[in-house]
Amino acid sequence: MDELSAYGHQEFLSSLIDVAELYNNAPCGYCSISPNGIILKINHTLLNWLGYREDELIGQKFSVLLSKGGQMHFEMFFLPLASVEHSVKEMSYEINRKDGSSHPVLLNASVKLDDHQRITAINTVLTDNSARRQYEKDLIRSRQMAESERKRLQFMADFIPEIIFTATAKGKIDYLNARFFEYFKCDIKIPGSAFILSQFHPEDLKMLLKTWQESINLGKDLQVEIRLKNFSGGYEWHLLKAAKFITEGGEIANWFGSCANINDHVNALKKKDEFIDIASHELKTPITSLKAILQLLDRVKADPGNRMIPSLIEKANKNLRKVNILVDDLLNASQLAQGHLQLNKVQVNLFELIGDCVHHIRMENNYEILTEGDKDATVVADEGRIEQVVTNFISNAIKYAPDSKKIRVKICRLATSIRTEVIDFGQGIAAEKIPFLFDRYYQVENKGVKYTGLGLGLFICSEIIKKHGGKIGAESIQGEGSTFWFELPIQ
Ligand code: ADP
């Protein structure tokens, strides 16, 4: 307080501030520019940033320190704005250093007026903008990253073969991936609940709505099997799942869901059940006969001369053979399905092999089987397996053409293979059924007539021929007959 009284309060405060020092070494650049843009005065901070001496810049146009684009902007916006508005706020420029590098700055300016209100100078403050620039760059990069991440997730969601959706905590669907629109051939951008609900099988809808409401109320994940309408109007089984996404506060934020088409799987299970039914039934018939025959034999066993015994034994053998064939087919099919078919290949004369098969079949049935074609045709093949295929073709011709007693077997040499055809003159097969004949468990439904069989014979034949590197097929004209053929490569 002694000093205050000695110098007077105002004087003392003024003595504390060195204006020139403040001007020159402030943490920002100062530059006074004439109304037409010539540098009049410049502080040390700015000279240090730029690497120039004062005499190199005084009298130069300020705009020469700016980039080409900056120069135009400065002349066309900054100077006119300063002269009209008398101040300029936060304009961003790149300012060039003497060494050629550039430095981001923000320009703020206010004008100095003379007594006649004419502008004598534009006092410009330049602040270092590199931190802000970096922040802006980081922000743009973060936005770009977020956008590309969004696109990546969108791509993934659209790419996977399942329908994907999200729903609000209350269960309102707010996102559906491309699969949804493809599956339902829907072009509504955001389909309403009326459209979505109309796609469910009416029998499943009530159960679904009840379960979904329960999930929403209790926060329980959802998993149900439902039928959805496909674009052709039929229904397909789907596995619908929804899992809740919980916020840090423990609230349900939304639901993520998927809907996978499990129609093939459900149908395969159904087919398997049907097949077990058929197989049990097919086995039961000969076993029941065997049981009855054994009971009869038991009754007459005390009388070895009984005339019924030979025919009972023959019948028992016939039924046993049926059981044997069925069990063999079951075993073969399951081995083939697991890829366990072993081939024991040797040089085989097809004409002789077919002759043997035909001989055995002829012995049992009252059929005219005609074998014709190349007698020298040989292939390298598993004799037993090829016999199995020929026997199957001929047995089918007998089974499915019971009214025609004639079967032709033809062997012909093609350019790279030997073709064997089994031709019957029976009822034939409808053209639309032919592509499925060699599928596992496939049986053509024959109106009125019930044939025994498991739908495995042709599947087994096809696997055997494929394993030999050959081809198999069938042609048929309804009412005229069928030709089943296979081709084995000549080696
Ligand atoms: P299955 O044990 O039922 O006979 P296959 O696989 O041998 O099984 O045959 C599949 C289906 O192909 C049969 O159900 C039958 O309807 C049809 N099929 C096979 N061969 C003939 C044929 N020669 N004529 C008419 N239909 C046939």
Side-chain angles (χ1 to χ4, degrees), residues 396 399-400 424 429 437 442-444 453-455 457-458 482 484:
N396 275 354
K399 183 157 77 170
Y400 296 107
D424 69 61
I429 305 157
L437 289 176
Y442 187 78
Q443 288 183 299
V444 178
L454 299 174
L458 292 180
S482 313
F484 281 81

Side-chain angles (χ1 to χ4, degrees), residues 162 251 270 297 326 338 388 428 470:
E162 295 176 8
E251 302 283 303
K270 233 187 330 182
L297 281 172
L326 288 168
Q338 291 165 34
Q388 199 179 341

Side-chain angles (χ1 to χ4, degrees), residues 32 122 147 152 158 278 281 284-285 297 312 316 323 330 350 355 382 426 447 470 481:
S32 296
I122 303 164
E147 180 59 13
R152 210 169 68 90
D158 287 343
I278 293 174
H281 181 79
K284 206 168 165 124
T285 315
L297 281 172
L312 284 175
V323 174
L330 286 170
L350 269 181
D382 185 316
K447 275 179 227 120

Side-chain angles (χ1 to χ4, degrees), residues 282 326 329 392-401 422 424 426-429 436-439 441-446 451-461 476 481-484:
E282 290 293 307
L326 288 168
D329 274 3
N392 210 301
F393 278 8
I394 299 177
S395 306
N396 275 354
I398 293 171
K399 183 157 77 170
Y400 296 107
V422 175
D424 69 61
Q427 63 201 0
I429 305 157
F436 308 105
L437 289 176
F438 298 91
D439 288 358
Y441 312 134
Y442 187 78
Q443 288 183 299
V444 178
E445 264 178 49
N446 291 290
Y451 292 102
T452 57
L454 299 174
L456 287 176
L458 292 180
F459 164 73
I460 295 170
C461 293
S476 184
S482 313
T483 299
F484 281 81

